[in-house]
Amino acid sequence: MTNAQNLIGGAWVGEPIIERRNPANPDDVVAIAPSASAADVHDAVAAATDAQPGWAALTAVQRGAILMDAADLLRRRHEEIATDLTREEGKTRAEAMGEVRRAIDVLRFFGSAGWRPSGETLPSTMPNTSVHTRREPLGVVGLVTPWNFPIAIPAWKMAPALVSGNAVVIKPAELTPLSINHLATALIDAGLPAGVLNVVHGSGSLAGDALVRHQEVAAVSFTGSTGVGMAIRDVVNARNARVQLEMGGKNAYLVLDDADVEAAAATVAAGAFSLTGQACTATSRVYVTPGVREVFVKALREKAGAVKSGNGLDPGTTMGPVVSDAQLAKDVTAIHAAVEAGFDAGEVTEPKGQFLAPVVFSGVPHDHPLVTREVFGPVVGVIDVADYQEGLNLVNDSPYGLTAGICTRDLGKAYDFAARVRVGVVKINRPTTGLDLNVPFGGVRDSSTNTFREQGERAVDFYTWTKSVYIGHDL
């Protein structure tokens, strides 16, 4: 067991009172964290406000070097951090190792950004005049992050914010307090000045609300549910600050008659059942044309049946437990409602503890809640479509627009799908999950604010503002 304290002004503070237990083993108390008050959040923002000018005064190369050193420290601590991540979130050790690796690579990517140009030189219509642009930091930024990627998502928000010269206050998810503390410790040990990064644990309704409402927080980046994200948007917009939201998804896959059915089933299964289906990019609705429907459903159910649910630390486990009782109840409610509606699910087994077997429903109508509402678990609905065009239309018929995929050998249809599908990330013959850190990520409609993208070089856009500088050189 570890105490996961708040980090405010370079000091670890706060009385640990919130207990987090391993979802795979309730007897294992992973961490105890504080519950930050509004006063704690105020102190964290004040510390960030004081520290930010000095941090911004360093060169981007100096700031980037600290991120690079922190990446090296995470690499040395990789095994320990992955074990703690598995214990507190539940994902398999292989998934946890990959996530920690992602945080390491993100720090390296943005650490190296300190050496890349941050502005442009532009022509001017005026004689003897040079024009260039500068990227300026916003000041203090607030980050609110979820439990499903408890070190990777904080890293990909923090790194572009920090290398750009901002100070950060982050409110991580209550379910995963330990991973963020590993990340913060690495940054501090790498030489990050006191107050540049502050961590406040606690509830979203108290600590999170105080953070997004604070007048000194120039921008808020949030990843989580659509309902909470929209509420944050309204609060932040009301005080004319900047907001970035990455929210829910109900990600679709379209399987055509010409697809390699085994490959399509493997692709959909990877997107649906990895990470216990607890990813905003997970595949949860699949549209299948008549020629491959029966064989595809059979193949997908075989993939689901081969999944071994268990403790993520056990070598044979391929899918970890559901993260919490509340999430499990949501998953089970969705499954029972679909069973009661009469949809074919093959064999459905009740969960054992926090372990839930994947479920594949077929014959589901497009307008059923199983297809329209995010479940956030290893549950897939298969919907029959007559042809490619109907499939594309139904893929687009959703309030969400995060990721979507198609499995086909027809290059023309693949390119047409990429052009016409209304999502932020398109996958052709690849799972909807899995993202490269150098590629912009985000959605449209109720999945995202669709103004600023995360990851890649575009991520810096959210954390900076552009200043245009004219220099006359004829005097």
Side-chain angles (χ1 to χ4, degrees):
M1 181 184 68
T2 301
N3 288 343
Q5 292 180 286
N6 296 327
L7 175 63
I8 299 177
W12 294 103
V13 297
E15 179 186 357
I17 57 173
I18 302 175
E19 193 175 78
R20 174 55 179 164
R21 292 178 179 266
N22 184 340
N25 177 13
D27 293 333
D28 177 19
V29 180
V30 180
I32 304 178
S35 181
S37 65
D40 294 327
V41 173
H42 177 81
D43 290 345
V45 174
T49 302
D50 290 343
Q52 191 271 331
W55 176 242
L58 298 179
T59 67
V61 173
Q62 291 172 311
R63 296 192 295 266
I66 291 175
L67 299 189
M68 298 284 276
D69 288 346
D72 291 341
L73 291 172
L74 286 182
R75 187 70 186 89
R76 291 175 210 164
R77 303 165 185 172
H78 196 159
E79 298 274 347
E80 173 196 353
I81 297 170
T83 298
D84 282 346
L85 198 163
T86 294
R87 289 172 60 222
E88 73 171 355
E89 198 275 347
K91 64 183 60 178
T92 67
R93 182 163 176 77
E95 291 168 341
M97 289 289 285
E99 182 177 343
V100 177
R101 180 78 226 190
R102 180 55 165 259
I104 293 166
D105 290 344
V106 164
L107 291 178
R108 287 177 174 163
F109 179 84
F110 286 105
S112 68
W115 292 93
R116 294 197 288 269
S118 62
E120 298 178 285
T121 299
L122 302 167
S124 174
T125 59
M126 293 175 277
N128 300 314
T129 303
S130 300
V131 181
H132 69 272
T133 62
R134 294 171 52 94
R135 284 188 179 271
E136 303 288 356
L138 300 179
V140 176
V141 298
L143 311 178
V144 182
T145 56
W147 48 260
N148 60 333
F149 291 96
I151 194 166
I153 290 179
W156 80 51
K157 290 180 186 290
M158 272 185 202
L162 291 172
V163 80
S164 301
N166 299 282
V168 169
V169 180
I170 183 168
K171 206 297 287 183
E174 288 180 273
L175 292 177
T176 51
L178 202 50
S179 295
I180 186 65
N181 279 46
H182 278 302
L183 178 57
T185 298
L187 285 160
I188 291 168
D189 291 349
L192 191 72
V196 173
L197 172 63
N198 303 270
V199 180
V200 287
H201 293 283
S203 69
S205 59
L206 182 57
D209 186 68
L211 180 60
V212 302
R213 292 182 185 278
H214 202 291
Q215 295 298 313
E216 295 300 318
V217 174
V220 174
S221 180
F222 166 84
T223 298
S225 71
T226 298
V228 174
M230 294 301 190
I232 289 174
R233 177 200 62 187
D234 293 343
V235 169
V236 178
N237 282 343
R239 59 184 182 82
N240 200 29
R242 187 175 288 189
V243 65
Q244 177 184 57
L245 306 176
E246 291 303 337
M247 302 176 288
K250 191 66 183 174
N251 308 294
Y253 218 92
L254 175 57
V255 180
L256 301 183
D257 281 357
D258 71 325
D260 179 322
V261 174
E262 280 298 317
T267 298
V268 169
F273 309 138
S274 63
L275 305 161
T276 320
Q278 296 173 152
C280 60
T281 55
T283 306
S284 60
R285 53 190 178 113
V286 185
Y287 299 90
V288 185
T289 50
V292 293
R293 178 194 174 280
E294 279 192 37
V295 66
F296 172 79
V297 171
K298 181 176 182 291
L300 183 58
R301 285 191 175 143
E302 288 174 354
K303 302 293 182 188
V307 170
K308 183 177 179 183
S309 299
N311 190 320
L313 295 177
D314 294 343
T317 294
T318 58
M319 190 178 81
V322 177
V323 72
S324 67
D325 290 339
Q327 184 59 52
L328 181 63
K330 182 179 177 183
D331 296 348
V332 170
T333 297
I335 293 168
H336 286 175
V339 169
E340 289 169 5
F343 307 138
D344 179 15
E347 184 178 349
V348 177
T349 59
E350 290 299 308
K352 297 178 181 179
Q354 296 293 124
F355 303 110
L356 178 67
V359 184
V360 177
F361 287 95
S362 62
V364 184
H366 171 72
D367 60 353
H368 190 270
L370 189 74
V371 177
T372 60
R373 297 177 189 170
E374 188 175 39
V375 176
F376 222 64
V379 183
V380 175
V382 178
I383 305 99
D384 300 338
V385 293
D387 52 25
Y388 165 72
Q389 187 58 57
E390 183 185 17
L392 173 63
N393 291 344
L394 293 182
V395 168
N396 281 334
D397 184 22
S398 170
Y400 298 105
L402 189 53
T403 69
I406 185 172
C407 198
T408 180
R409 292 187 174 108
D410 187 324
L411 191 60
K413 285 189 173 65
Y415 272 100
D416 184 74
F417 185 83
R420 295 170 60 198
V421 69
R422 294 196 296 272
V423 296
V425 179
V426 183
K427 296 292 193 74
I428 297 168
N429 300 325
R430 292 292 182 270
T432 56
T433 53
L435 305 162
D436 289 317
L437 64 89
N438 63 320
V439 178
F441 170 67
V444 295
R445 292 175 286 176
D446 286 355
S447 291
S448 174
T449 40
N450 195 27
T451 47
F452 296 98
R453 289 307 193 216
E454 295 197 288
Q455 306 199 69
E457 293 186 14
R458 293 282 301 278
V460 174
D461 294 348
F462 177 71
Y463 299 102
T464 58
W465 57 280
T466 300
K467 180 186 291 181
S468 299
V469 181
Y470 289 76
I471 302 174
H473 41 82
D474 53 357
L475 298 179

